[in-house]
Amino acid sequence: MDGFILISRKILQSPALMKRDRSYCEVGAWLWLLLEASFTDRDFTIGTQTVRLKRGELCHSVSYMAEAWGWTQSKSRHYLDKLVKFNSISFGKSDGKSADFPNIIKIVNYDDYQYSIGKSNGEPRGNKHNKIISKDIIYIDEFNRIWSKLRAKRGSKKVALQKYNKIKNKVDADTLIEKYNQLVSKASSPEFIPHFSTYLSQERWLDEDSIVKEKVLTPDQYFRQRFNNVPKGFHMVGSSWNEIEYSNGKEKITFSLKDGEEV
């Protein structure tokens, strides 16, 4: 039998893959590895160290996988050794990382389990079933990385992904992250931050990092705009959280900031 089906990650929660003690069977552990593998090249961080994973690779310690599967570490190592023996996975070292950094696990023949990305135009290639799969999810791993690094997640993530798929060939991911976060840091209030989908569709990474600043009113400006009852020739000489005081040099008047009435 050839071909395959799309499988949701929620399948890992299915009782069919678990034993009575809530641990995975071997099929469940294999599906876990396939679903954890990177769909496209991406950065993966553990603690303070980051490694670049290629398509079909994942990076987890044996203890992490054992906990996820509900197994002992000994059983997990034995299962991984079996997968290596059957040429289902291979291990590789992470260059420049600490001695306790996990090895990189590569799914051998990953494209046999997941549809592949065309080299020329980024479209799925393979059998007929592959070609009807939505192109919007081809770069979802890369988009998730971008979304996770945004300092403000404004608007719909789903809509932003759709917009990203339309402009992904015009700008690199790191530029998007850097430019949008600069915009966020300059905003004086959340309402001045554009939705990420709008930022993408308007190609605003090409703009200068400028943003309309919220006008800050002095206590005098605030009171005069609200009540307009300060006599001519009077100037503010002081204010507190609930009152404001004016003087013309000869006499003083104190008003309530709450209702504008003279105190």
Side-chain angles (χ1 to χ4, degrees):
M1 182 179 294
D2 200 2
F4 57 84
I5 61 172
L6 287 174
I7 297 179
S8 167
R9 282 182 168 81
K10 290 183 179 179
I11 196 173
L12 296 177
Q13 302 167 12
S14 171
L17 297 179
M18 296 181 176
K19 299 178 180 179
R20 290 183 179 180
D21 60 359
R22 308 301 293 172
S23 64
Y24 283 155
C25 63
E26 289 193 352
V27 173
W30 176 236
L31 282 175
W32 187 95
L33 289 169
L34 293 176
L35 293 172
E36 280 290 308
S38 298
F39 180 72
T40 60
D41 295 1
R42 66 185 177 110
D43 290 333
F44 183 75
T45 300
I46 300 178
T48 59
Q49 301 183 80
T50 300
V51 65
R52 187 69 176 176
L53 294 179
K54 297 180 179 179
R55 175 176 165 83
E57 293 182 343
L58 60 148
C59 185
H60 291 303
S61 65
V62 173
S63 60
Y64 181 91
M65 289 183 284
E67 183 177 354
W69 300 343
W71 295 3
T72 64
Q73 291 191 38
S74 175
K75 179 179 178 180
S76 300
R77 289 193 188 93
H78 177 76
Y79 178 65
L80 293 170
D81 289 342
K82 183 169 74 171
L83 292 178
V84 171
K85 179 180 178 181
F86 292 154
N87 198 33
S88 297
I89 64 171
S90 62
F91 286 96
K93 289 288 185 182
S94 305
D95 296 334
K97 299 295 181 290
S98 60
D100 60 346
F101 196 82
N103 289 331
I104 292 176
I105 301 174
K106 179 180 180 179
I107 306 295
V108 178
N109 298 323
Y110 178 73
D111 286 347
D112 290 348
Y113 306 100
Q114 176 62 279
Y115 68 90
S116 56
I117 301 173
K119 295 181 179 179
S120 60
N121 56 9
E123 294 184 354
R125 64 169 184 253
N127 60 34
K128 182 178 179 180
H129 180 75
N130 292 351
K131 293 179 181 179
I132 65 174
I133 298 173
S134 170
K135 290 185 287 186
D136 284 349
I137 64 173
I138 293 176
Y139 290 94
I140 194 168
D141 275 356
E142 183 68 8
F143 177 78
N144 283 337
R145 183 180 77 86
I146 294 172
W147 185 263
S148 70
K149 292 182 178 293
L150 299 181
R151 292 182 59 185
K153 296 170 175 59
R154 292 270 289 158
S156 164
K157 181 179 179 181
K158 179 179 179 181
V159 174
L161 172 59
Q162 293 169 352
K163 300 298 182 184
Y164 173 72
N165 281 333
K166 294 180 180 179
I167 59 89
K168 60 182 177 287
N169 295 323
K170 296 181 179 181
V171 59
D172 66 89
D174 290 333
T175 297
L176 280 179
I177 296 168
E178 178 185 359
K179 292 289 186 179
Y180 187 76
N181 284 341
Q182 285 176 358
L183 200 63
V184 171
S185 66
K186 290 173 180 277
S188 56
S189 186
E191 62 263 27
F192 293 109
I193 302 172
H195 287 195
F196 191 54
S197 58
T198 303
Y199 181 85
L200 295 174
S201 62
Q202 295 179 352
E203 300 187 6
R204 292 185 59 180
W205 66 86
L206 299 173
D207 299 341
E208 297 295 326
D209 346 333
S210 58
I211 192 165
V212 178
K213 290 283 186 178
E214 182 181 16
K215 186 177 180 180
V216 179
L217 299 178
T218 65
D220 179 43
Q221 291 171 330
Y222 170 81
F223 186 80
R224 289 178 184 271
Q225 282 188 11
R226 286 194 65 193
F227 302 111
N228 194 30
N229 59 349
V230 179
K232 186 176 180 180
F234 279 73
H235 304 279
M236 189 194 82
V237 293
S239 67
S240 64
W241 67 272
N242 63 340
E243 295 180 350
I244 187 165
E245 188 176 53
Y246 287 89
S247 174
N248 63 357
K250 296 180 180 179
E251 56 181 314
K252 293 182 179 181
I253 306 175
T254 302
F255 296 98
S256 167
L257 284 170
K258 181 178 179 181
D259 54 21
E261 296 294 327
E262 187 175 344
V263 179

